[in-house]
Amino acid sequence: MIIVLLGAPGTGKGTQAQFLARRFDLEAISTGDILRQEIKNGTSLGKKAEKFVTSGGLVPDDIIIDMIRGRIDGPENRSRTRTGVIFDGFPRTLSQAKALEKMLSSLGSGIDRAIYFHMPEERIIERLSGRRVCTDCGETYHVVYNPPKEVGVCGKCGGALYQREDDKPEIIRQRLQTYNRDTAPIIDYYSKKDYYLQVDAYDDIDRIKEKITRVLGG
Ligand code: AP5
């Protein structure tokens, strides 16, 4: 099963990707998580990507497409791609969308579901400014809507929680501008596909989980 999660920053894609990956035994590929890890490790990819990520812009398509190809193609990855992958935060431009279709088709595969998380923009700042992420395993929390049992501590692995650098209000505004300019147009592209599904991202976390699980036949 190949699933693509689409939507503006903070609409809950990562939260649902973590859940769906566990529920359906899928490989979750989050381009944002990969980039943050590369930046933290000071790799050459991380060095190229850093200025775009920290300023709320998009990392150039060729870098992202190569990065994804490296994760899904090649003998060691192909069987995993056949079993199932959930893409979180990719594709983000039309050129990334077309490149993904091409890569999957060359592997004899294709998208089964593209799920769009729809939410009014005024709610996004509240969502992102309350987000906390585990330093060790990447599990996502929210101080109000999805709090950890113990403040500042990950309930899954015990790691310390932190606030992402790009969750500051001025960078959030830039990310939203980037989203509206570069990514929103691909929603129109996917909405014409028979595998497209729109969910109300302002709904309760568990109700969204149930809805998607039902649609995926779980
Ligand atoms: P990325 O990490 O992908 O960020 P994003 O798309 O902006 O998405 P977020 O991670 O901010 O939000 P989300 O939708 O996953 O929400 P979450 O589940 O955490 O990308 C970061 C940067 O990397 C980009 O700006 C760009 O520079 C670069 N990049 C990444 N991919 C790229 C690509 N393909 N091309 C080019 N550049 C790329 O939820 C948010 C909060 O809300 C959490 O606190 C959560 O607990 C809470 N929450 C979730 N669901 C609910 C709910 N239903 N009700 C209440 N609270 C909820």
Side-chain angles (χ1 to χ4, degrees), residues 10 12-15 31 36 57 89 92 96 131 141 164 175 203:
K13 305 179 298 295
T15 301
T31 41
R36 279 184 289 280
R92 258 173 153 98
Q96 291 181 18
R131 170 166 56 191
Y141 298 88
R164 267 168 53 173
R175 287 164 66 199
D203 205 351

Side-chain angles (χ1 to χ4, degrees), residues 7-16 30-33 35-36 49 52-54 56-61 64 88-93 96 127-128 130-132 140-143 145-146 164 166-167 175 201-205 208:
T11 48
K13 305 179 298 295
T15 301
Q16 297 296 332
S30 157
T31 41
D33 285 350
L35 292 167
R36 279 184 289 280
F52 302 103
V53 174
T54 52
L58 285 187
V59 175
D61 284 339
I64 295 289
D88 162 20
F90 173 84
R92 258 173 153 98
T93 63
Q96 291 181 18
R127 280 270 184 101
L128 290 180
R131 170 166 56 191
R132 300 293 180 271
T140 303
Y141 298 88
H142 190 281
V143 291
Y145 302 118
N146 184 23
R164 267 168 53 173
D166 62 348
D167 280 347
R175 287 164 66 199
Y202 193 54
D203 205 351
D204 178 77
I205 294 180
I208 299 174

Side-chain angles (χ1 to χ4, degrees), residues 17-178:
Q18 287 164 358
F19 163 73
L20 293 169
R22 289 195 283 264
R23 176 73 180 73
F24 291 96
D25 195 20
L26 304 171
E27 173 78 17
I29 298 185
S30 157
T31 41
D33 285 350
I34 298 170
L35 292 167
R36 279 184 289 280
Q37 195 59 46
E38 297 279 347
I39 293 169
K40 195 172 157 193
N41 295 343
T43 63
S44 79
L45 168 57
K47 284 184 184 128
K48 282 186 218 152
E50 187 165 13
K51 64 174 185 285
F52 302 103
V53 174
T54 52
S55 65
L58 285 187
V59 175
D61 284 339
D62 54 339
I63 297 180
I64 295 289
I65 292 166
D66 279 353
M67 189 173 98
I68 291 291
R69 188 173 290 113
R71 302 259 158 176
I72 66 172
D73 205 352
E76 73 286 11
N77 293 327
R78 279 187 189 167
S79 59
R80 189 180 66 188
T81 309
R82 289 207 182 92
T83 328
V85 176
I86 181 157
F87 291 100
D88 162 20
F90 173 84
R92 258 173 153 98
T93 63
L94 197 54
S95 136
Q96 291 181 18
K98 298 248 163 94
L100 177 63
E101 274 169 27
K102 229 168 137 183
M103 279 186 259
L104 291 175
S105 129
S106 75
L107 296 169
S109 182
I111 297 172
D112 295 290
R113 280 283 171 192
I115 306 174
Y116 169 47
F117 288 67
H118 176 261
M119 192 166 81
E121 197 167 298
E122 59 274 15
R123 303 287 183 183
I124 288 177
I125 298 205
E126 181 202 7
R127 280 270 184 101
L128 290 180
S129 47
R131 170 166 56 191
R132 300 293 180 271
V133 183
C134 177
T135 324
D136 295 337
C137 73
E139 190 74 2
T140 303
Y141 298 88
H142 190 281
V143 291
V144 177
Y145 302 118
N146 184 23
K149 284 207 176 79
E150 193 182 335
V151 176
V153 179
C154 177
K156 198 177 144 203
C157 77
L161 304 185
Y162 79 105
Q163 184 164 27
R164 267 168 53 173
E165 276 299 309
D166 62 348
D167 280 347
K168 292 180 184 143
E170 64 279 15
I171 310 291
I172 296 174
R173 273 190 285 277
Q174 186 52 53
R175 287 164 66 199
L176 285 171
Q177 263 184 33
T178 303

